[in-house]
Amino acid sequence: MTPAVTVVGSGTLVPSGERSSPAHLVEHGPTRILLDAGPGTVHGLARHGLAWWKITHVVFTHYHTDHFGDLPHLLFAMKWAAPAPRRRRLRILGPSGLTERVEALRRAHGDFIVRPGFELDYEEVARSAVWRGPDASPTLRFHPVPHTDSSVAVRVEMGGRAVGYTGDTGPDGTLGSFLRGVDVLISECAHPDPPPPGRHLSPVSVAEMAKRARPGVLVLTHMYPPLDADSAPSLVRVAGYRGRVVCAGDGERFVLE
C-alpha cells in the first residue's frame, strides 16, 4: 500500500457545515496515524469511509480544544461502537501536558479514558524528540513551534515517504528546514496579510516557510475568515512560492508519490 494522507478536518474553531476542526489521517499498511482530533473528527472519519476503529496512533500538536476535543469521543467509540473488539494497542502521543489533561478527562468522563478495554499507552514527548515504533515504522519527528508553550510541528516518515504538519504556529525560521523535502506539507494559513497579532501563519509567512521546505505539494488549511479557500493559494503564489499549492477540503486524499 502506498502511503497516503487524508484531510479529515480542514477548518477552525469557527462552526462550519463544510469543514470540521483539524484532523489528518496518515496511512501505510496497517499503520494509521491520526494527527490532531478536533471536534467532529470521529464522525468525519466515518463520513469519509475511513476505518476509525483501526487507528494505531494519535498524535497531538497542542491542546487547544479545536485540535484535541474529540479524543473522548474516539475512545468511547472504540470501546462501544467498533465492529469487533479491539486487540491492537493504541498509542497516544503529545507534548508536555498530555498526562495532566488525560487525568482531567478521566475525572470528567470516566475510567474508559485510561482503561477502554484494550491496551492503551499515553506518552509525552519532548518538543524536539524523535519517536520510533517497535518495528522502526513509523518514525515521528517533533519540532517546537511558537503557538503555545508546548506546541509542536510533526514530521511522519514511513514507507520511504514523509508527511509534514505544522499544527498551529507563528512564523519560525527553522520550520522550513525541519520539513524539508516532505511529499505532502499540511500548513495552517490562518489569516490574510498583514496578520493580526498572534501566533499563526499568513500567506507571506507560509510562502517563506514553504520555499525552505520544498514539499511535493503544499496543502493549506485552518483558515479564518476573511481568508478563504478560493484566494489563499493564489496569495501564497503572489508571495513568492512557486511550487504546487492547493487548499485542503474535508475528505481530500493525497497519495505520497
Side-chain angles (χ1 to χ4, degrees):
M1 176 182 177
T2 303
V5 56
T6 302
V7 178
V8 181
S10 60
T12 65
L13 61 83
V14 177
S16 168
E18 298 178 353
R19 298 178 182 273
S20 295
S21 291
H24 312 83
L25 185 68
V26 185
E27 300 174 272
H28 178 54
T31 301
R32 291 170 169 82
I33 303 171
L34 184 65
L35 303 177
D36 283 339
T41 293
V42 181
H43 284 300
L45 288 162
R47 186 179 304 115
H48 301 305
L50 301 168
W52 51 267
W53 62 93
K54 293 183 179 180
I55 288 171
T56 57
H57 304 71
V58 182
V59 179
F60 290 109
T61 61
H62 65 294
Y63 303 115
H64 284 162
T65 302
D66 59 331
H67 291 252
F68 185 71
D70 232 25
L71 176 60
H73 185 183
L74 179 64
L75 295 173
F76 199 67
M78 285 182 170
K79 180 175 177 63
W80 296 111
R86 185 181 178 92
R87 304 298 181 193
R88 187 169 181 177
R89 183 187 303 270
L90 177 64
R91 302 179 187 276
I92 300 178
L93 297 89
S96 174
L98 179 62
T99 301
E100 176 185 1
R101 285 167 174 82
V102 168
E103 175 56 23
L105 289 174
R106 185 198 65 78
R107 293 196 303 269
H109 296 287
D111 285 347
F112 77 89
I113 296 293
V114 293
R115 291 190 293 275
F118 51 84
E119 290 185 292
L120 172 63
D121 288 341
Y122 289 100
E123 185 175 346
E124 289 190 1
V125 294
R127 296 179 76 195
S128 298
V130 178
W131 186 94
R132 293 183 175 88
D135 57 357
S137 180
T139 296
L140 304 173
R141 302 182 188 275
F142 298 89
H143 183 80
V145 294
H147 184 66
T148 70
D149 291 341
S150 62
S151 293
V152 293
V154 183
R155 181 182 179 121
V156 180
E157 299 171 352
M158 57 183 183
R161 301 296 182 181
V163 174
Y165 174 43
T166 65
D168 281 2
T169 178
D172 183 306
T174 65
L175 184 55
S177 297
F178 169 71
L179 297 169
R180 176 74 59 85
V182 297
D183 297 275
V184 175
L185 171 50
I186 301 170
S187 175
E188 73 129 274
C189 188
H191 300 294
D193 290 292
R199 295 188 169 185
H200 282 288
L201 297 179
S202 63
V204 167
S205 52
V206 168
E208 290 301 312
M209 181 268 296
K211 283 190 285 187
R212 295 184 177 93
R214 302 176 188 171
V217 57
L218 172 63
V219 181
L220 306 179
T221 188
H222 203 54
M223 290 168 290
Y224 285 92
L227 194 61
D228 59 41
D230 293 332
S231 62
S234 61
L235 292 173
V236 171
R237 295 187 194 100
V238 168
Y241 181 63
R242 299 292 178 255
R244 182 186 172 202
V245 53
V246 299
C247 190
D250 286 18
E252 191 165 2
R253 181 178 176 87
F254 299 88
V255 176
L256 279 62
E257 59 183 6

